[in-house]
Amino acid sequence: MSKVIEFVKGPWYIAVYTWREGLRRKTLVGFLILSLLVIFGATFMTSFLNQATVGDVTTDMDLKLIKDICVTTISIFGVLITIFISASVVPVEVENRIIYTVLSKPVRRFQYLLGKFLGAQLIIIMNLCLMGGLFFVALYIKQRILPTLLLWSVFLTYFEFLIVSALTFAVACASSSSVLPTIAGLFIYITGSLTEYLKDVYNRSGQTGEFLDSLIGYLAYILWNILPNLQRFSLKTQIVNSQPNDPPTDVLIPQLVLYALIYAVSGYIIAYWIFRKREV
Amino acid sequence: MSVSQEPIIKTTKLTKIYETGFRGEEVKALIDLDLEIYSGEIFGYLGPNGSGKTTTIKLLLGLIFPTYGEIFVLGTSDINSPAVKKNIGYLPEGAFYPDFLRGEEILHFYGQLYGLTGRELRKRVDYVLDLVGMTHARRRMLKGYSKGMRQRIGLAQALISDPKILILDEPTTGLDPIARKEIRDILARLRDEGKTLFISSHELLEVEMISNRVGILFDGVLRVSGTLDELLEIKDRIVEFANATEDKIKIIIDKGGEIFDQIDSKVFLRAKSDDDIYNVIELGRSVGLSLVKITPRRESLEELFVRVITSAEAERRTKNE
Ligand SMILES: Nc1ncnc2c1ncn2[C@@H]1O[C@H](COP(=O)(O)OP(=O)(O)O)[C@@H](O)[C@H]1O
Ligand SMILES: [Mg+2]
């Protein structure tokens, strides 16, 4: 046991300092403030505007719109922050050579990388908590019902981000600047959100029996299997259309968590495998 | 320092070839380096820019990997093991630290990585901040530090765990003279505490002041290494005369005398060997100078450096032809 504690101490210290340093970055804080403003604006400004016409009760339509805006804001700003931070925590240190001083300390590369990855997760989680928390409070004030469904949604969104983060991180471990991994992260997020279409492509292919047709279908099938399906993590439709304290019905939460963890661990292993022999 | 002792750092045939560009062009940064550093030594690792000093240091720290050859630190080849790293403090070349942290936060963080905690850690942070003269700026963000301040914080983080071995890559390069003097004083203090210091530098005077053994690297090859007493030859004798005038000096030069220096009416002539002393005295007397004294002169490290590098360059030229 004490061996385990000894082993995770280093990564933990690195994670905490990565988190602290991240909080002092302007880009990150800027994104965060912007997203909070959007959520705040969407929830409170509409109610303010509508009071004249509808009185105290917010209409159903308004609520749907607000929820839609806020859920979308959380996922878009959240994923931008996720990609930005996962793409930069390692390359920034290689670029400005801080990594020399850290890797020359009694810390194995595995521990260093783990620390960086955990630090990124701390930032992502903190940021989700702030955005989700604000939305939670706003919804509660409006409807006087505890929006527990939102908590489930934020929980699942984190695991969606975990996948994007781990894969972006793996790319970042091979690059010396954060530009390439940022682009890769966006690509992963976008294609990951479109994997349902790949399945469509596969289902429709092979009808003509032509080689090219089958090949495309086959490729689509492989991609559909390899790429994470990020849509599965979304509770947006349910949040928008049902009561805020409904249990989540569209998803199998334990399976999704496991699914995300498998991707995250694979991403981390790839990252380590790249980083193990990397010259800095 | 006994010869039978195990070296603290040892490399055998250590070689690093970088592959650069898309066509994989090779840069032979370090070739067959055999090095032994013993406990308590102050080793000055010298060489012009691009000679492979930083490459050597990064290899010793496991930041890059040898093309071939072996490295032993504290008797083991697993140089990345925390047990080895615990005993090493490293100051990288240039001063790059997390900009968004305060001076003391950085030291706190690096101390934690060495396993220091609580009161012990706070005491060490206070101690090293005081040692490098940075207590006044400990709460300021690194963003606002000057280059000299960064270098001091760098030295402080290298010292945070009170390591046995210190590896310093150009600790005084790019600093102003006062900062340089202060860093040098700290290094002298560490030497007196019995630390093993591996200092890379091209500031020869500084190295000469503090080191007891040096190695000169050029083009990735260690040209010479040894103690200063072994390496610096006493060849010259300087013969000092009084009553010199421009005319007399001109005559001396015409007769083949070698002027070493000249201050007012004093002139210093160089004698290349013991026998040559008589010729030089005779030469001085013949133009009416009066002999003041004769002093043996040890070659300076700079002269040794120039001698070694010049012959290495000549060697390279003949090889290329
Ligand atoms: N990462 C690298 N890739 C390619 N060449 C390199 C790399 N690092 C250093 N070099 C080359 O290796 C040689 C030695 O460099 P270095 O060890 O930095 O010298 P020094 O520290 O003595 O100035 C130089 O020719 C340098 O250009
Ligand atoms: Mg160098």
Side-chain angles (χ1 to χ4, degrees):
Chain A
M1 193 60 206
S2 70
K3 273 232 170 95
V4 176
I5 292 175
E6 204 54 39
F7 184 80
V8 295
K9 252 190 189 163
W12 177 246
Y13 295 135
I14 292 173
V16 170
Y17 119 91
T18 304
W19 175 67
R20 261 195 183 165
E21 205 201 342
L23 289 194
R24 292 180 191 167
R25 283 214 206 137
K26 288 197 188 87
T27 327
L28 196 82
V29 176
F31 272 153
L32 188 58
I33 291 175
L34 210 60
S35 63
L36 293 179
L37 279 179
V38 172
I39 294 172
F40 185 80
T43 46
F44 291 106
M45 295 307 266
T46 50
S47 75
F48 178 70
L49 284 176
N50 285 322
Q51 250 161 21
T53 48
V54 201
D56 237 355
V57 189
T58 317
T59 61
D60 211 29
M61 267 309 288
D62 277 341
L63 252 183
K64 279 191 179 173
L65 185 66
I66 291 169
K67 287 176 176 175
D68 197 343
I69 291 176
C70 290
V71 173
T72 311
T73 304
I74 290 180
S75 56
I76 290 189
F77 279 96
V79 87
L80 285 180
I81 291 175
T82 299
I83 290 172
F84 170 74
I85 201 76
S86 313
S88 65
V89 279
V90 170
V92 159
E93 297 216 324
V94 174
E95 225 169 11
N96 59 24
R97 307 196 227 167
I98 290 164
I99 199 167
Y100 292 177
T101 40
V102 183
L103 284 186
S104 58
K105 301 286 179 282
V107 173
R108 295 262 186 196
R109 285 186 177 215
F110 187 84
Q111 293 172 296
Y112 170 77
L113 220 52
L114 193 59
K116 283 306 209 190
F117 188 66
L118 288 179
Q121 301 316 307
L122 286 180
I123 292 172
I124 296 165
I125 289 170
M126 182 206 66
N127 153 65
L128 261 177
C129 287
L130 283 177
M131 292 193 296
L134 182 63
F135 187 31
F136 185 86
V137 171
L139 266 188
Y140 178 71
I141 290 173
K142 280 194 159 312
Q143 291 193 289
R144 300 285 160 189
I145 307 168
L146 274 184
T148 46
L149 186 58
L150 178 67
L151 295 184
W152 283 114
S153 163
V154 168
F155 179 78
L156 284 181
T157 307
Y158 170 66
F159 282 94
E160 177 187 352
F161 289 174
L162 178 63
I163 296 178
V164 177
S165 172
L167 299 182
T168 308
F169 189 73
V171 179
C173 283
S175 7
S176 48
S177 96
S178 53
V179 177
L180 182 73
T182 302
I183 294 169
L186 289 172
F187 177 80
I188 290 163
Y189 178 66
I190 292 167
T191 47
S193 304
L194 298 175
T195 44
E196 290 293 332
Y197 293 105
L198 288 173
K199 202 177 161 193
D200 264 7
V201 171
Y202 169 66
N203 286 339
R204 280 197 234 151
S205 68
Q207 287 164 359
T208 58
E210 275 177 31
F211 174 70
L212 203 63
D213 189 21
S214 315
L215 184 72
I216 287 173
Y218 193 59
L219 274 179
Y221 183 72
I222 291 177
L223 280 177
W224 181 66
N225 274 297
I226 294 177
L227 285 174
N229 184 344
L230 299 178
Q231 268 169 323
R232 286 189 193 163
F233 291 84
S234 174
L235 280 177
K236 187 163 143 185
T237 333
Q238 210 196 341
I239 286 189
V240 170
N241 292 312
S242 56
Q243 281 300 308
N245 57 354
D246 277 356
T249 50
D250 293 358
V251 292
L252 296 162
I253 288 174
Q255 276 86 335
L256 279 179
V257 168
L258 187 68
Y259 180 78
L261 287 178
I262 290 172
Y263 268 101
V265 169
S266 319
Y268 182 77
I269 290 171
I270 294 170
Y272 175 64
W273 182 74
I274 293 168
F275 191 71
R276 194 175 51 105
K277 280 283 160 191
R278 175 157 176 199
E279 305 214 312
V280 293
Chain B
M1 224 183 306
S2 69
V3 188
S4 61
Q5 204 184 350
E6 269 289 299
I8 253 185
I9 297 173
K10 181 179 155 92
T11 69
T12 49
K13 297 256 173 259
L14 185 60
T15 299
K16 179 67 190 176
I17 300 169
Y18 291 109
E19 287 187 10
T20 58
F22 291 108
R23 275 172 292 165
E25 282 153 47
E26 293 189 342
V27 179
K28 290 184 178 154
L30 194 64
I31 302 156
D32 289 340
L33 176 73
D34 293 323
L35 203 62
E36 288 185 358
I37 312 289
Y38 292 90
S39 177
E41 264 187 343
I42 317 297
F43 185 76
Y45 199 44
L46 305 171
N49 284 328
S51 54
K53 303 185 295 294
T54 300
T55 299
T56 310
I57 288 177
K58 283 162 88 176
L59 286 166
L60 292 179
L61 289 158
L63 296 172
I64 56 175
F65 306 97
T67 307
Y68 57 84
E70 282 176 302
I71 306 170
F72 299 90
V73 179
L74 293 165
T76 170
S77 61
D78 182 14
I79 56 169
N80 282 308
S81 90
V84 170
K85 293 280 179 71
K86 268 202 161 72
N87 295 299
I88 301 180
Y90 164 51
L91 173 70
E93 188 178 12
F96 304 91
Y97 302 95
D99 262 358
F100 297 85
L101 293 180
R102 298 171 207 285
E104 61 182 8
E105 282 177 340
I106 287 171
L107 297 180
H108 203 86
F109 166 60
Y110 286 126
Q112 285 176 327
L113 294 185
Y114 278 107
L116 298 171
T117 49
R119 250 172 68 85
E120 193 194 2
L121 174 58
R122 280 198 300 276
K123 260 171 64 185
R124 278 307 296 177
V125 170
D126 291 346
Y127 175 76
V128 293
L129 276 168
D130 184 50
L131 182 68
V132 301
M134 285 292 289
T135 308
H136 66 285
R138 60 186 294 169
R139 296 221 159 73
R140 275 166 55 191
M141 297 260 193
L142 248 74
K143 236 185 322 188
Y145 278 16
S146 70
K147 187 152 190 225
M149 290 165 88
R150 282 162 177 268
Q151 196 71 343
R152 283 161 202 248
I153 280 291
L155 199 55
Q157 63 81 27
L159 291 167
I160 190 77
S161 70
D162 198 17
K164 276 192 205 138
I165 310 170
L166 275 160
I167 299 181
L168 311 174
D169 199 353
E170 310 222 358
T172 59
T173 300
L175 300 184
D176 64 62
I178 294 171
R180 262 188 9 208
K181 165 90 171 64
E182 281 170 2
I183 299 247
R184 216 160 55 218
D185 289 345
I186 297 169
L187 298 186
R189 192 164 152 187
L190 296 170
R191 172 191 60 192
D192 298 340
E193 282 175 18
K195 306 253 181 250
T196 308
L197 266 65
F198 184 103
I199 307 174
S200 101
S201 183
H202 52 236
E203 311 280 350
L204 300 169
L205 269 175
E206 289 180 6
V207 171
E208 190 167 3
M209 273 186 252
I210 185 169
S211 303
N212 44 32
R213 213 154 61 87
V214 299
I216 298 179
L217 195 68
F218 182 70
D219 261 3
V221 179
L222 186 67
R223 306 286 162 166
V224 292
S225 79
T227 64
L228 289 175
D229 288 339
E230 285 164 11
L231 296 178
L232 302 179
E233 297 167 6
I234 304 180
K235 273 192 309 198
D236 290 356
R237 310 290 184 280
I238 301 299
V239 186
E240 182 183 340
F241 294 99
N243 301 332
T245 62
E246 289 302 320
D247 294 341
K248 290 176 185 174
I249 290 172
K250 218 174 265 162
I251 299 171
I252 288 175
I253 293 173
D254 288 342
K255 288 188 172 175
E258 198 182 328
I259 311 287
F260 176 72
D261 201 358
Q262 187 191 349
I263 307 165
D264 300 331
S265 66
K266 282 183 198 159
V267 64
F268 301 83
L269 301 190
R270 189 201 302 273
K272 290 188 197 68
S273 64
D274 283 345
D275 290 342
D276 196 32
I277 292 174
Y278 300 106
N279 302 334
V280 172
I281 294 175
E282 193 49 47
L283 182 63
R285 236 192 240 150
S286 69
V287 296
L289 297 176
S290 49
L291 178 65
V292 179
K293 66 177 175 220
I294 304 166
T295 37
R297 194 186 64 94
R298 193 167 89 162
E299 189 180 32
S300 72
L301 185 55
E302 185 175 296
E303 285 165 296
L304 169 71
F305 189 76
V306 170
R307 177 157 63 86
V308 169
I309 303 296
T310 317
S311 79
E313 273 174 338
E315 199 179 294
R316 179 168 66 180
R317 263 198 305 276
T318 50
K319 228 181 249 172
N320 286 350
E321 270 160 17

